[in-house]
Amino acid sequence: VHSLDSLEDWDHTSVKKQTLGGATILATTPQAYFPPYHYKRNELGEVLSKPGEEYWNKTIPFEGAMIDYLDQLQDLAAGDFNVEWTFGSKASKLIHPSSAYTASVQDVQDGLIDMAVGPIWV
């Protein structure tokens, strides 16, 4: 057993870096219009202010603080995981019409996505 006399003695390079093994995480946000946390833009480049078909269009990227945060975690993880952005199911939004966040949690529970990204508590 090795004891450390100080934090400087700790060899951070010996820490296992690949805990997820390069896994791809399927992620979405509950909705496409909640700036500054997460949002999409319309064809004019304007931030969406209400639900629209843009949410289900994978060619329009999500933007915002939560997306930037996850991108930075991905960079820090140095290839340990990748994020593939998608959208939530229309079925869960029909089941939970009063909360896009509850609908996203339903999608995680149902195994349709791995992660719902947003300012939510689960």
Side-chain angles (χ1 to χ4, degrees):
V1 176
H2 177 72
S3 66
L4 299 176
D5 294 327
S6 71
L7 187 57
E8 289 80 31
D9 293 334
W10 179 58
D11 178 14
H12 66 84
T13 60
S14 66
V15 175
K16 184 176 180 181
K17 293 183 180 184
Q18 294 289 317
T19 57
L20 296 175
T24 297
I25 296 171
L26 196 57
T28 191
T29 66
Q31 55 194 1
Y33 58 98
F34 195 53
Y37 302 105
H38 47 78
Y39 56 90
K40 285 190 170 191
R41 296 178 187 272
N42 63 21
E43 66 278 351
L44 300 175
E46 301 164 333
V47 173
L48 295 179
S49 60
K50 61 182 180 178
E53 289 301 310
E54 294 90 349
Y55 176 75
W56 285 278
N57 186 338
K58 286 175 68 172
T59 65
I60 302 172
F62 285 106
E63 300 179 56
M66 300 304 292
I67 284 69
D68 293 345
Y69 176 70
L70 195 54
D71 286 347
Q72 289 177 1
L73 288 177
Q74 206 174 326
D75 289 344
L76 288 171
D80 192 29
F81 71 94
N82 297 298
V83 176
E84 180 182 333
W85 291 98
T86 189
F87 44 82
S89 73
K90 290 184 179 183
S92 67
K93 292 187 184 311
L94 289 173
I95 294 168
H96 303 287
S98 64
S99 175
Y101 295 89
T102 301
S104 289
V105 172
Q106 182 74 52
D107 284 340
V108 172
Q109 181 181 8
D110 291 344
L112 301 174
I113 58 173
D114 300 312
M115 179 187 298
V117 178
I120 59 176
W121 291 89
V122 178

